Amino acid sequence: MNDSATPAIGLDPYLDWLRREAIPVVEDFGVDLHGVDTRPWARYGVNGAAVHLKGRGDFVAMFVLDIAPAAASAPQRHLYEEVLYVLSGRGSTTIETGDGRTHSFEWGPHSLFAIPLNTRYRHFNGSGTERARLAATTSLPAVLNMFHNEAFVFDNPFSFNERMGAQKYFSGEGDFVPVRPGQHMWETNFVPDLSAIELKVWNERGKGSKNIMFILADGTMHAHISEMQVGTYKKAHRHGPDFHVMCVTGDGYSLLWYEGDADFRQVKWRHGTVFAPPDRMFHQHFNTSSQPARYLATAFGSLRYPFTEAKRRALMGSGAGDKQGAVATSVKLGGDQIEFEDQSPRIHALYLEETRGSGVPVTFQPA
Ligand SMILES: [Fe+2]
């Protein structure tokens, strides 16, 4: 019962919680995660910061954890999902599952893993001299704004035993789940090295394009990795917000624009850069490096559990018999992708300009 003079409307329990956590909050279009200022985060016992990207959407927030040499995070348990990418450093994570077992795995740069829902976990920096930095994508905004009860979210004894997966999922092994190009999945809880995992060809997003979808800890959180070959770029497309795009290998740039815009917005990226294309903003990724460029994308709504109709349409399509997602279907066919032959000539001209003098051979022609 609120009897104060100020009516309780327009609340955001997640943002209220974040304010009380008293950690830095970075708000920007794109961010260099290596450079984010972190401060002591009492809850975790290590340094932390929140990263709110313009296109983060309603469901997802990102946190940076910065662990001092030989330090460890305080034990955590919570009712929201969390997918972590290791930016730098080496260490391990211990997870206590509801069946009383403890699982431990060692991570390093480019590792990806998920915390199975509501399990107790700790991160350990395994180095005595180097710091370790992790980027966590979480569904805390969705969960806290849904229940707006912190005890329910952070002090809940329920065990989701069906989320643990096979024991091998904690050791870096997984199961390949073939679906179709663009939708092949790797099911696991832990990927030791995103720069080394085998990807599958998905030419519909651009010749030589490769990807793999992840299903991590049977989660609703989305993760996939894509690769562009040397001297190539992907086709432009658009979708809803919340895909947090993180460069894993190589370097390059992305162009973003809304339909009808006179100019593009350019984001240059290298390892550590994250940005989230805002709602329905066209975006196109370009590899300007002399190695294949890989990027990780985390979001809410996995291929297994898309959660929203918009994510289902983006990932799986909605037309009868059409199982290709709108992200890889031409706008001329009702999808959200701009085919190479339909793109503005300025796009390829800029790519030639950006790669000129770099020694990167560009033989690719968009049409
Ligand atoms: Fe995208």
Side-chain angles (χ1 to χ4, degrees):
M1 188 76 178
N2 180 3
D3 55 3
S4 76
T6 307
I9 60 172
L11 304 183
D12 189 316
Y14 162 68
L15 291 180
D16 293 341
W17 170 87
L18 184 59
R19 215 168 287 121
R20 292 194 303 276
E21 294 296 299
I23 55 172
V25 180
V26 179
E27 293 183 317
D28 212 334
F29 194 92
V31 169
D32 171 16
L33 292 168
H34 292 301
V36 168
D37 178 36
T38 61
R39 295 295 161 94
W41 191 355
R43 176 181 300 274
Y44 271 90
V46 302
N47 278 15
V51 174
H52 286 174
L53 300 173
K54 179 167 170 51
R56 78 176 170 94
D58 294 321
F59 303 136
V60 170
M62 175 170 274
F63 299 110
V64 174
L65 295 177
D66 183 78
I67 312 173
S73 62
Q76 304 294 316
R77 185 179 191 182
H78 46 67
L79 206 66
Y80 56 89
E81 294 183 17
E82 183 158 356
V83 171
L84 294 111
Y85 174 64
V86 180
L87 293 158
S88 62
R90 295 187 178 279
S92 62
T93 292
T94 298
I95 293 175
E96 291 173 39
T97 48
D99 55 7
R101 300 175 70 178
T102 299
H103 312 265
S104 188
F105 50 89
E106 294 187 4
W107 40 256
H110 308 308
S111 291
L112 175 77
F113 59 95
I115 307 297
L117 188 62
N118 212 29
T119 56
R120 189 177 305 278
Y121 65 94
R122 295 186 77 180
H123 306 305
F124 297 83
N125 186 341
S127 167
T129 54
E130 306 287 330
R131 303 186 73 87
R133 183 166 280 235
L134 295 83
T137 317
T138 83
S139 56
L140 176 58
V143 173
L144 203 47
N145 286 340
M146 171 88 73
F147 296 107
H148 47 88
N149 182 306
E150 290 175 25
F152 183 72
V153 174
F154 290 99
D155 187 17
N156 190 317
F158 192 85
S159 290
F160 296 82
N161 292 325
E162 75 282 6
R163 300 269 200 133
M164 306 311 141
Q167 173 62 30
K168 67 178 182 179
Y169 290 179
F170 290 101
S171 64
E173 295 176 58
D175 287 309
F176 178 66
V177 183
V179 183
R180 58 173 288 157
Q183 296 173 348
H184 295 312
M185 292 198 298
W186 182 250
E187 179 160 15
T188 187
N189 298 343
F190 169 50
V191 182
D193 186 355
L194 284 180
S195 69
I197 189 171
E198 182 190 345
L199 308 184
K200 300 294 180 185
V201 170
W202 188 19
N203 283 321
E204 286 86 347
R205 290 285 294 122
K207 188 164 170 44
S209 179
K210 295 181 177 181
N211 90 321
I212 198 90
M213 292 280 176
F214 294 110
I215 183 76
L216 300 171
D218 198 34
T220 310
M221 287 293 294
H222 176 110
H224 75 258
I225 182 166
S226 292
E227 181 181 277
M228 291 172 276
Q229 304 313 311
V230 174
T232 71
Y233 53 87
K234 303 196 57 152
K235 297 175 185 175
H237 71 183
R238 63 181 177 180
H239 42 68
D242 89 358
F243 281 98
H244 285 53
V245 179
M246 285 167 269
C247 173
V248 173
T249 64
D251 53 76
Y253 66 94
S254 297
L255 298 180
L256 302 98
W257 69 95
Y258 289 109
E259 192 163 17
D261 279 358
D263 282 310
F264 308 115
R265 178 166 189 150
Q266 186 181 44
V267 174
K268 299 220 176 193
W269 41 256
R270 57 190 169 84
H271 188 243
T273 307
V274 64
F275 64 101
D279 192 20
R280 308 298 290 160
M281 193 173 193
F282 280 112
H283 50 279
Q284 189 162 10
H285 310 306
F286 301 80
N287 181 6
T288 57
S289 61
S290 53
Q291 61 172 309
R294 290 186 168 196
Y295 60 84
L296 165 71
T298 54
F300 194 67
S302 58
L303 184 57
R304 178 170 291 169
Y305 304 105
F307 198 83
T308 63
E309 193 55 38
K311 200 73 99 219
R312 184 181 297 273
R313 175 179 174 275
L315 300 175
M316 305 179 64
S318 52
D322 174 24
K323 294 290 201 291
Q324 182 84 267
V327 293
T329 303
S330 170
V331 291
K332 291 183 295 192
L333 299 172
D336 282 322
Q337 174 167 267
I338 298 175
E339 298 299 319
F340 285 135
E341 63 265 29
D342 300 322
Q343 76 183 21
S344 162
R346 291 164 59 204
I347 286 173
H348 194 68
L350 179 62
Y351 183 63
L352 293 176
E353 201 175 297
E354 291 281 355
T355 48
R356 189 174 300 135
S358 65
V360 175
V362 180
T363 55
F364 162 72
Q365 288 289 331

